[in-house]
């Protein structure tokens, strides 16, 4: 029975992978709709033949890796569960010390390590692909260091959550999901508050803008939107990537706008101001808080569904498998698997909300700077530097795109340009 289930799961994963291979490489048509051909959104007008080919090729492989990564993780947890590895980890934890308090941390360590090692090859493929296409400039030791930081932050976070969660499951078999959610509210806010000052600096260096002339222009713009100067930062990314980016992060007194140094190095001042104005919209309209609110609502639903599904699995299979008993730490792979599936299922909705905010930020930026030419060229540069697909296949857009596609973003600007030329 166990072996059969394992074979079915692997088979399902292979079929799923083949479907996406077919969808991305054969079915999806990278051609732009006719009405966009030859416009400024058409990559053929701003990429050379080689860049065009590379961006198509690179995006196709990246998209495939994206669709494989998460289901692969589900498969790993499923196999850990059905082949009794979860039992083994628990036994290792119990054999290694008589202090009961340490059993869960040790179990969690082995489980995290197993999942990490199983998914490491995919991460490495993704890194080396990005290196091959000259997007990533990161050395292997530096990449590995980031990976290890990832591992420990993940482990540390779950180390706080899991013991509490499993304690709640034992205390209240009917309401653990709700109490868990209540506790997750302050925890989430606390993590969001610490993110820019504790977690992000583990990966990169942050400092005030280096170019003082540019800083003056940026702060002038920030002033227009009532953003205090000490909330604008530059981050050292050139040693890791050729891509361009900027973002808003943190809450409360730690809220900040961060510009990658690659963006500052490679764009003109006008283009940078456009990017800055876009980020300012996120800041001013408090998109982070909307994001946190939406996330908390979804996680309430998600935890309830997890509770229902875990109970269902326990009732169906609990007799045969002690490892799916709710409240028994050995069911943790099941919990991780369900949460990961639900997150993936919710991603189209989350991305849709994000694309809505991003569209607003683009509009805000162009109305603030009133310079469509700089805006269009900066988006073209953005697409070029990251070999971004201007017009991705529909499923890619739905599951992967937190921003409108470059086709949509540049067309909007062209529209703006046309409208404002007339008056
Ligand atoms: Zn944005």
């Amino acid at each position: 029975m166990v072996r059969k289930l394992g074979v079915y799961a692997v088979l399902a994963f292979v079929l799923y992978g083949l479907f996406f291979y077919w969808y991305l490489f054969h079915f999806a048509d990278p051609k732009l709709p006719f009405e966009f051909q030859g416009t400024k959104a058409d990559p053929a007008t701003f990429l050379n033949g080689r860049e065009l080919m590379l961006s198509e090729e690179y995006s196709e492989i990246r998209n495939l890796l994206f669709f494989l990564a998460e289901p692969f993780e589900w498969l790993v947890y499923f196999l850990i569960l059905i082949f009794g590895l979860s039992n083994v980890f628990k036994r290792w934890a119990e054999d290694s010390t008589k202090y009961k308090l340490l059993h869960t941390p040790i179990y969690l360590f082995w489980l995290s390590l197993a999942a990490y090692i199983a998914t490491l090859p995919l991460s490495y493929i993704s890194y080396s692909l990005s290196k091959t296409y000259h997007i990533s400039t990161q050395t292997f030791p530096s990449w590995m260091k980031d990976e290890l930081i990832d591992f420990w932050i993940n482990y540390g976070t779950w180390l706080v959550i899991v013991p509490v969660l499993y304690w709640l499951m034992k205390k209240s078999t009917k309401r653990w999901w709700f109490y868990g959610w209540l506790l997750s509210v302050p925890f989430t806010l606390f993590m969001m508050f610490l993110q820019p000052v504790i977690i992000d600096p583990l990966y990169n260096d942050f400092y005030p803008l280096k170019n003082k002339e540019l800083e003056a222009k940026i702060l002038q713009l920030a002033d227009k939107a009532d953003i205090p100067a000490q909330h604008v930062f530059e981050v050292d990314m050139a040693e890791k990537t050729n891509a361009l980016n900027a973002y808003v992060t943190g809450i409360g007194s730690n809220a900040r706008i961060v510009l990658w140094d690659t963006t500052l190095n490679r764009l003109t001042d006008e283009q940078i101001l456009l990017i800055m104005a876009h980020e300012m919209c996120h800041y001013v309209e408090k998109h982070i808080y909307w994001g946190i609110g939406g996330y908390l609502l979804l996680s309430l639903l998600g935890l309830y569904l997890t509770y229902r599904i875990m109970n269902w699995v326990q009732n169906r299979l609990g007799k045969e498998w002690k490892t799916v008993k709710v409240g028994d730490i050995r069911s943790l792979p099941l919990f991780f698997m369900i949460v990961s599936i639900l997150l993936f299922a919710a991603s189209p909705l989350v991305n849709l909300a994000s694309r809505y905010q991003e569209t607003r930020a683009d509009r805000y930026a162009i109305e603030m700077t009133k310079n469509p030419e700089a805006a269009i060229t900066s988006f073209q540069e953005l697409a070029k530097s990251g070999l971004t697909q201007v017009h991705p296949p529909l499923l890619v857009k739905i599951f992967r795109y937190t921003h409108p596609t470059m086709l949509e973003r540049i067309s909007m600007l062209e529209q703006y340009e046309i409208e404002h030329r007339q008056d």
Side-chain angles (χ1 to χ4, degrees), residues 278-279 282 358 361 403:
H278 170 105
E279 300 308 327
H282 290 314
E358 296 299 338
H403 290 64

Side-chain angles (χ1 to χ4, degrees), residues 58 61-62 65-66 120-132 136 143:
Y58 177 69
I61 308 174
R62 271 217 87 93
L65 285 175
F66 166 83
L120 189 64
L122 260 182
S123 315
Y124 178 75
I125 291 172
S126 178
Y127 158 72
S128 82
L129 178 77
S130 165
K131 205 116 198 214
T132 312
S136 169
W143 175 78

